[in-house]
Amino acid sequence: LEWLGLHTAFMLETSDTLLEYGADLLVYRHVKTNAKLAALIPKQPTQGMDKAFGIGFRTKPTSSNGVAHILEHSVLCGSKKYMAKDPFVYLLKGSLHTFLNAFTYADRTLYPVASRNSKDFLN
């Protein structure tokens, strides 16, 4: 797990072995925000294998006005502290474009990322 770089801001919530995928699934919770981070760790990693993670937030709606979906896009517009205006465009210029997306469901929003390039993945 050295590539995962365990950080004190995250607590391990669950750890499961997924035999059909030959990997371990680790789910972490960010202590301050309760955001979830899921890491799928292959038992036998190979060169060029996809590396993936996803961050999810509960976004329980109080109405059907679409606020959670608007927030999904707003998160990707940056802030005073994080000046990236459109991080997807920036990331797609590198090799993180194996898979990069965001999804809003009825009760949560997810930001999954995958790459075959270890250096860019860890950046």
Side-chain angles (χ1 to χ4, degrees), residues 48-93:
M49 176 181 277
D50 280 342
K51 294 122 187 92
F53 72 91
I55 298 174
F57 296 89
R58 289 207 179 272
T59 49
K60 294 182 180 180
T62 56
S63 71
S64 60
N65 61 8
V67 169
H69 190 217
I70 293 167
L71 287 173
E72 170 196 320
H73 288 268
S74 297
V75 164
L76 300 173
C77 288
S79 66
K80 288 180 182 178
K81 187 174 179 182
Y82 301 100
M83 302 297 255
K85 180 65 178 153
D86 194 347
F88 273 22
V89 171
Y90 174 77
L91 291 171
L92 286 170
K93 291 177 184 176

Tab-separated table of all heavy atoms in Angstrom, residues 48-93:
chain	number	residue	atom	x	y	z
A	48	GLY	N	1.527	-1.298	-16.491
A	48	GLY	CA	0.466	-0.793	-17.348
A	48	GLY	C	-0.934	-1.067	-16.838
A	48	GLY	O	-1.910	-0.699	-17.476
A	49	MET	N	-1.046	-1.687	-15.679
A	49	MET	CA	-2.367	-1.981	-15.114
A	49	MET	C	-3.032	-0.685	-14.667
A	49	MET	O	-2.380	0.226	-14.169
A	49	MET	CB	-2.207	-2.929	-13.932
A	49	MET	CG	-3.493	-3.241	-13.200
A	49	MET	SD	-3.182	-4.346	-11.801
A	49	MET	CE	-3.176	-5.900	-12.646
A	50	ASP	N	-4.347	-0.599	-14.853
A	50	ASP	CA	-5.085	0.569	-14.386
A	50	ASP	C	-4.963	0.722	-12.874
A	50	ASP	O	-4.969	-0.253	-12.139
A	50	ASP	CB	-6.573	0.450	-14.723
A	50	ASP	CG	-6.892	0.805	-16.156
A	50	ASP	OD1	-6.056	1.456	-16.798
A	50	ASP	OD2	-7.984	0.445	-16.622
A	51	LYS	N	-4.815	1.957	-12.428
A	51	LYS	CA	-4.868	2.307	-11.013
A	51	LYS	C	-6.110	3.181	-10.879
A	51	LYS	O	-6.335	4.057	-11.701
A	51	LYS	CB	-3.631	3.089	-10.579
A	51	LYS	CG	-2.355	2.266	-10.640
A	51	LYS	CD	-1.373	2.967	-11.549
A	51	LYS	CE	-0.153	2.144	-11.808
A	51	LYS	NZ	-0.282	1.322	-12.989
A	52	ALA	N	-6.927	2.939	-9.877
A	52	ALA	CA	-8.189	3.659	-9.795
A	52	ALA	C	-8.528	4.039	-8.366
A	52	ALA	O	-8.142	3.360	-7.428
A	52	ALA	CB	-9.312	2.800	-10.376
A	53	PHE	N	-9.246	5.135	-8.220
A	53	PHE	CA	-9.823	5.508	-6.942
A	53	PHE	C	-11.064	6.339	-7.217
A	53	PHE	O	-11.274	6.815	-8.333
A	53	PHE	CB	-8.840	6.262	-6.035
A	53	PHE	CG	-8.544	7.670	-6.472
A	53	PHE	CD1	-9.311	8.728	-5.992
A	53	PHE	CD2	-7.500	7.940	-7.323
A	53	PHE	CE1	-9.028	10.027	-6.377
A	53	PHE	CE2	-7.212	9.235	-7.710
A	53	PHE	CZ	-7.977	10.277	-7.241
A	54	GLY	N	-11.872	6.470	-6.221
A	54	GLY	CA	-13.067	7.294	-6.354
A	54	GLY	C	-13.352	7.977	-5.030
A	54	GLY	O	-13.087	7.424	-3.969
A	55	ILE	N	-13.853	9.176	-5.107
A	55	ILE	CA	-14.234	9.924	-3.912
A	55	ILE	C	-15.730	10.173	-4.004
A	55	ILE	O	-16.231	10.578	-5.049
A	55	ILE	CB	-13.464	11.248	-3.807
A	55	ILE	CG1	-11.966	10.967	-3.691
A	55	ILE	CG2	-13.955	12.062	-2.617
A	55	ILE	CD1	-11.104	12.187	-3.714
A	56	GLY	N	-16.437	9.909	-2.913
A	56	GLY	CA	-17.882	10.073	-2.929
A	56	GLY	C	-18.377	10.872	-1.735
A	56	GLY	O	-17.804	10.815	-0.650
A	57	PHE	N	-19.425	11.633	-1.975
A	57	PHE	CA	-20.062	12.432	-0.932
A	57	PHE	C	-21.551	12.104	-0.904
A	57	PHE	O	-22.170	11.974	-1.958
A	57	PHE	CB	-19.931	13.938	-1.223
A	57	PHE	CG	-18.538	14.448	-1.224
A	57	PHE	CD1	-17.785	14.442	-2.378
A	57	PHE	CD2	-17.979	14.955	-0.065
A	57	PHE	CE1	-16.491	14.922	-2.390
A	57	PHE	CE2	-16.681	15.438	-0.063
A	57	PHE	CZ	-15.939	15.422	-1.230
A	58	ARG	N	-22.111	12.005	0.271
A	58	ARG	CA	-23.564	11.894	0.376
A	58	ARG	C	-24.147	13.264	0.077
A	58	ARG	O	-23.713	14.272	0.624
A	58	ARG	CB	-23.981	11.444	1.763
A	58	ARG	CG	-23.646	10.007	2.023
A	58	ARG	CD	-24.606	9.423	3.052
A	58	ARG	NE	-24.296	8.035	3.279
A	58	ARG	CZ	-24.800	7.036	2.548
A	58	ARG	NH1	-25.622	7.297	1.576
A	58	ARG	NH2	-24.463	5.797	2.805
A	59	THR	N	-25.103	13.301	-0.817
A	59	THR	CA	-25.773	14.550	-1.186
A	59	THR	C	-27.280	14.289	-1.146
A	59	THR	O	-27.936	14.232	-2.186
A	59	THR	CB	-25.319	15.046	-2.574
A	59	THR	OG1	-25.401	13.957	-3.511
A	59	THR	CG2	-23.897	15.554	-2.542
A	60	LYS	N	-27.790	14.093	0.060
A	60	LYS	CA	-29.217	13.792	0.225
A	60	LYS	C	-30.048	15.025	-0.129
A	60	LYS	O	-29.896	16.076	0.497
A	60	LYS	CB	-29.505	13.351	1.656
A	60	LYS	CG	-28.858	12.036	2.013
A	60	LYS	CD	-29.199	11.619	3.422
A	60	LYS	CE	-28.533	10.313	3.755
A	60	LYS	NZ	-28.834	9.865	5.105
A	61	PRO	N	-30.919	14.887	-1.102
A	61	PRO	CA	-31.715	16.043	-1.528
A	61	PRO	C	-32.889	16.303	-0.582
A	61	PRO	O	-33.417	15.396	0.056
A	61	PRO	CB	-32.228	15.631	-2.902
A	61	PRO	CG	-32.302	14.139	-2.834
A	61	PRO	CD	-31.161	13.709	-1.939
A	62	THR	N	-33.265	17.565	-0.489
A	62	THR	CA	-34.478	17.931	0.252
A	62	THR	C	-35.606	18.233	-0.721
A	62	THR	O	-36.737	18.421	-0.316
A	62	THR	CB	-34.214	19.148	1.154
A	62	THR	OG1	-33.717	20.214	0.347
A	62	THR	CG2	-33.190	18.807	2.231
A	63	SER	N	-35.255	18.301	-2.016
A	63	SER	CA	-36.246	18.497	-3.075
A	63	SER	C	-35.656	17.931	-4.365
A	63	SER	O	-34.532	17.434	-4.370
A	63	SER	CB	-36.585	19.982	-3.238
A	63	SER	OG	-35.485	20.663	-3.817
A	64	SER	N	-36.370	18.029	-5.440
A	64	SER	CA	-35.879	17.522	-6.728
A	64	SER	C	-35.447	18.664	-7.646
A	64	SER	O	-35.631	18.612	-8.852
A	64	SER	CB	-36.962	16.674	-7.415
A	64	SER	OG	-38.115	17.466	-7.637
A	65	ASN	N	-34.839	19.707	-7.056
A	65	ASN	CA	-34.453	20.888	-7.833
A	65	ASN	C	-33.077	20.771	-8.500
A	65	ASN	O	-32.641	21.693	-9.166
A	65	ASN	CB	-34.521	22.150	-6.974
A	65	ASN	CG	-33.580	22.099	-5.787
A	65	ASN	OD1	-32.760	21.200	-5.663
A	65	ASN	ND2	-33.720	23.077	-4.895
A	66	GLY	N	-32.365	19.657	-8.300
A	66	GLY	CA	-31.101	19.446	-8.994
A	66	GLY	C	-29.878	20.083	-8.351
A	66	GLY	O	-28.821	20.161	-8.978
A	67	VAL	N	-29.991	20.528	-7.119
A	67	VAL	CA	-28.875	21.197	-6.444
A	67	VAL	C	-27.639	20.304	-6.374
A	67	VAL	O	-26.519	20.768	-6.593
A	67	VAL	CB	-29.292	21.685	-5.035
A	67	VAL	CG1	-28.078	22.139	-4.232
A	67	VAL	CG2	-30.280	22.823	-5.156
A	68	ALA	N	-27.813	19.013	-6.107
A	68	ALA	CA	-26.653	18.111	-6.013
A	68	ALA	C	-25.882	18.064	-7.324
A	68	ALA	O	-24.657	18.056	-7.330
A	68	ALA	CB	-27.112	16.714	-5.607
A	69	HIS	N	-26.580	18.069	-8.439
A	69	HIS	CA	-25.901	18.041	-9.737
A	69	HIS	C	-25.187	19.362	-10.006
A	69	HIS	O	-24.085	19.394	-10.545
A	69	HIS	CB	-26.901	17.727	-10.850
A	69	HIS	CG	-26.255	17.448	-12.151
A	69	HIS	ND1	-26.785	17.837	-13.348
A	69	HIS	CD2	-25.090	16.806	-12.463
A	69	HIS	CE1	-25.988	17.464	-14.335
A	69	HIS	NE2	-24.954	16.839	-13.819
A	70	ILE	N	-25.797	20.448	-9.613
A	70	ILE	CA	-25.152	21.759	-9.759
A	70	ILE	C	-23.884	21.811	-8.904
A	70	ILE	O	-22.839	22.292	-9.340
A	70	ILE	CB	-26.130	22.894	-9.377
A	70	ILE	CG1	-27.261	22.951	-10.402
A	70	ILE	CG2	-25.408	24.225	-9.271
A	70	ILE	CD1	-28.435	23.804	-9.992
A	71	LEU	N	-23.960	21.278	-7.674
A	71	LEU	CA	-22.783	21.240	-6.807
A	71	LEU	C	-21.679	20.365	-7.398
A	71	LEU	O	-20.496	20.686	-7.271
A	71	LEU	CB	-23.152	20.744	-5.412
A	71	LEU	CG	-23.935	21.736	-4.567
A	71	LEU	CD1	-24.394	21.087	-3.269
A	71	LEU	CD2	-23.110	22.979	-4.288
A	72	GLU	N	-22.052	19.252	-8.065
A	72	GLU	CA	-21.056	18.397	-8.722
A	72	GLU	C	-20.213	19.231	-9.682
A	72	GLU	O	-18.988	19.153	-9.694
A	72	GLU	CB	-21.746	17.275	-9.490
A	72	GLU	CG	-20.825	16.482	-10.397
A	72	GLU	CD	-21.578	15.653	-11.413
A	72	GLU	OE1	-22.618	15.065	-11.062
A	72	GLU	OE2	-21.113	15.583	-12.562
A	73	HIS	N	-20.870	20.067	-10.478
A	73	HIS	CA	-20.147	20.912	-11.433
A	73	HIS	C	-19.414	22.055	-10.742
A	73	HIS	O	-18.303	22.419	-11.141
A	73	HIS	CB	-21.106	21.435	-12.500
A	73	HIS	CG	-21.547	20.389	-13.446
A	73	HIS	ND1	-20.903	20.132	-14.636
A	73	HIS	CD2	-22.545	19.478	-13.352
A	73	HIS	CE1	-21.498	19.125	-15.248
A	73	HIS	NE2	-22.505	18.703	-14.490
A	74	SER	N	-20.003	22.597	-9.686
A	74	SER	CA	-19.371	23.705	-8.959
A	74	SER	C	-18.065	23.279	-8.307
A	74	SER	O	-17.095	24.036	-8.271
A	74	SER	CB	-20.323	24.252	-7.885
A	74	SER	OG	-21.470	24.774	-8.491
A	75	VAL	N	-18.030	22.054	-7.767
A	75	VAL	CA	-16.806	21.534	-7.151
A	75	VAL	C	-15.665	21.567	-8.153
A	75	VAL	O	-14.515	21.827	-7.813
A	75	VAL	CB	-17.039	20.094	-6.629
A	75	VAL	CG1	-15.739	19.381	-6.345
A	75	VAL	CG2	-17.910	20.138	-5.391
A	76	LEU	N	-15.984	21.315	-9.412
A	76	LEU	CA	-14.957	21.263	-10.454
A	76	LEU	C	-14.595	22.632	-11.007
A	76	LEU	O	-13.817	22.727	-11.950
A	76	LEU	CB	-15.423	20.334	-11.583
A	76	LEU	CG	-15.679	18.903	-11.119
A	76	LEU	CD1	-16.289	18.088	-12.227
A	76	LEU	CD2	-14.412	18.270	-10.591
A	77	CYS	N	-15.127	23.705	-10.428
A	77	CYS	CA	-14.820	25.057	-10.897
A	77	CYS	C	-13.730	25.728	-10.074
A	77	CYS	O	-13.397	26.877	-10.327
A	77	CYS	CB	-16.083	25.918	-10.877
A	77	CYS	SG	-17.252	25.477	-12.152
A	78	GLY	N	-13.201	25.049	-9.076
A	78	GLY	CA	-12.136	25.632	-8.269
A	78	GLY	C	-12.672	26.537	-7.174
A	78	GLY	O	-13.871	26.688	-6.982
A	79	SER	N	-11.741	27.145	-6.445
A	79	SER	CA	-12.075	28.033	-5.335
A	79	SER	C	-10.906	28.985	-5.108
A	79	SER	O	-9.908	28.932	-5.831
A	79	SER	CB	-12.346	27.207	-4.070
A	79	SER	OG	-11.145	26.574	-3.661
A	80	LYS	N	-11.003	29.815	-4.087
A	80	LYS	CA	-9.889	30.711	-3.767
A	80	LYS	C	-8.639	29.916	-3.408
A	80	LYS	O	-7.535	30.274	-3.785
A	80	LYS	CB	-10.261	31.626	-2.602
A	80	LYS	CG	-11.251	32.691	-2.964
A	80	LYS	CD	-11.569	33.564	-1.761
A	80	LYS	CE	-12.607	34.596	-2.126
A	80	LYS	NZ	-12.981	35.437	-0.996
A	81	LYS	N	-8.824	28.811	-2.680
A	81	LYS	CA	-7.686	27.998	-2.259
A	81	LYS	C	-7.161	27.108	-3.389
A	81	LYS	O	-5.965	26.890	-3.511
A	81	LYS	CB	-8.091	27.142	-1.059
A	81	LYS	CG	-6.930	26.377	-0.441
A	81	LYS	CD	-7.351	25.657	0.829
A	81	LYS	CE	-6.200	24.888	1.423
A	81	LYS	NZ	-6.604	24.158	2.627
A	82	TYR	N	-8.073	26.575	-4.224
A	82	TYR	CA	-7.705	25.680	-5.326
A	82	TYR	C	-8.136	26.346	-6.627
A	82	TYR	O	-9.290	26.266	-7.030
A	82	TYR	CB	-8.367	24.311	-5.158
A	82	TYR	CG	-7.978	23.651	-3.868
A	82	TYR	CD1	-8.816	23.669	-2.766
A	82	TYR	CD2	-6.739	23.027	-3.742
A	82	TYR	CE1	-8.444	23.073	-1.571
A	82	TYR	CE2	-6.350	22.437	-2.552
A	82	TYR	CZ	-7.216	22.462	-1.471
A	82	TYR	OH	-6.845	21.879	-0.298
A	83	MET	N	-7.182	26.996	-7.271
A	83	MET	CA	-7.481	27.895	-8.381
A	83	MET	C	-7.787	27.217	-9.720
A	83	MET	O	-8.047	27.899	-10.687
A	83	MET	CB	-6.325	28.885	-8.571
A	83	MET	CG	-6.044	29.705	-7.327
A	83	MET	SD	-7.416	30.745	-6.881
A	83	MET	CE	-6.802	32.307	-7.407
A	84	ALA	N	-7.744	25.906	-9.793
A	84	ALA	CA	-8.001	25.222	-11.065
A	84	ALA	C	-9.429	25.526	-11.516
A	84	ALA	O	-10.393	25.156	-10.854
A	84	ALA	CB	-7.806	23.724	-10.917
A	85	LYS	N	-9.573	26.208	-12.641
A	85	LYS	CA	-10.900	26.573	-13.139
A	85	LYS	C	-11.639	25.353	-13.664
A	85	LYS	O	-12.828	25.190	-13.441
A	85	LYS	CB	-10.768	27.640	-14.232
A	85	LYS	CG	-12.082	28.080	-14.819
A	85	LYS	CD	-12.946	28.788	-13.796
A	85	LYS	CE	-14.239	29.257	-14.427
A	85	LYS	NZ	-15.319	29.365	-13.521
A	86	ASP	N	-10.955	24.488	-14.372
A	86	ASP	CA	-11.585	23.286	-14.915
A	86	ASP	C	-10.593	22.133	-14.834
A	86	ASP	O	-9.880	21.850	-15.790
A	86	ASP	CB	-12.028	23.526	-16.355
A	86	ASP	CG	-12.968	22.457	-16.853
A	86	ASP	OD1	-13.088	21.400	-16.190
A	86	ASP	OD2	-13.596	22.664	-17.908
A	87	PRO	N	-10.508	21.465	-13.677
A	87	PRO	CA	-9.491	20.429	-13.494
A	87	PRO	C	-9.609	19.264	-14.468
A	87	PRO	O	-8.619	18.652	-14.812
A	87	PRO	CB	-9.693	19.971	-12.047
A	87	PRO	CG	-11.053	20.417	-11.673
A	87	PRO	CD	-11.354	21.610	-12.498
A	88	PHE	N	-10.815	18.970	-14.968
A	88	PHE	CA	-10.952	17.869	-15.927
A	88	PHE	C	-10.165	18.166	-17.195
A	88	PHE	O	-9.469	17.314	-17.717
A	88	PHE	CB	-12.421	17.631	-16.270
A	88	PHE	CG	-13.114	16.692	-15.326
A	88	PHE	CD1	-12.655	16.457	-14.044
A	88	PHE	CD2	-14.254	16.026	-15.726
A	88	PHE	CE1	-13.301	15.598	-13.180
A	88	PHE	CE2	-14.917	15.164	-14.875
A	88	PHE	CZ	-14.436	14.945	-13.611
A	89	VAL	N	-10.264	19.396	-17.684
A	89	VAL	CA	-9.523	19.762	-18.898
A	89	VAL	C	-8.028	19.648	-18.640
A	89	VAL	O	-7.282	19.113	-19.460
A	89	VAL	CB	-9.899	21.190	-19.359
A	89	VAL	CG1	-8.994	21.655	-20.480
A	89	VAL	CG2	-11.362	21.229	-19.790
A	90	TYR	N	-7.575	20.111	-17.474
A	90	TYR	CA	-6.157	20.033	-17.117
A	90	TYR	C	-5.694	18.578	-17.041
A	90	TYR	O	-4.658	18.208	-17.582
A	90	TYR	CB	-5.920	20.748	-15.781
A	90	TYR	CG	-4.522	20.602	-15.253
A	90	TYR	CD1	-3.477	21.355	-15.786
A	90	TYR	CD2	-4.243	19.704	-14.240
A	90	TYR	CE1	-2.183	21.213	-15.307
A	90	TYR	CE2	-2.958	19.550	-13.756
A	90	TYR	CZ	-1.937	20.306	-14.293
A	90	TYR	OH	-0.659	20.148	-13.828
A	91	LEU	N	-6.472	17.729	-16.347
A	91	LEU	CA	-6.088	16.328	-16.173
A	91	LEU	C	-6.122	15.558	-17.485
A	91	LEU	O	-5.317	14.652	-17.701
A	91	LEU	CB	-6.996	15.653	-15.140
A	91	LEU	CG	-6.814	16.141	-13.708
A	91	LEU	CD1	-7.905	15.576	-12.814
A	91	LEU	CD2	-5.455	15.773	-13.170
A	92	LEU	N	-7.039	15.895	-18.375
A	92	LEU	CA	-7.124	15.189	-19.651
A	92	LEU	C	-5.918	15.473	-20.547
A	92	LEU	O	-5.629	14.713	-21.464
A	92	LEU	CB	-8.421	15.545	-20.378
A	92	LEU	CG	-9.668	14.907	-19.772
A	92	LEU	CD1	-10.923	15.500	-20.401
A	92	LEU	CD2	-9.648	13.405	-19.935
A	93	LYS	N	-5.193	16.559	-20.279
A	93	LYS	CA	-3.980	16.860	-21.044
A	93	LYS	C	-2.861	15.880	-20.710
A	93	LYS	O	-1.962	15.665	-21.503
A	93	LYS	CB	-3.506	18.295	-20.761
A	93	LYS	CG	-4.426	19.350	-21.320
A	93	LYS	CD	-3.934	20.741	-20.944
A	93	LYS	CE	-4.913	21.791	-21.416
A	93	LYS	NZ	-4.529	23.133	-20.998
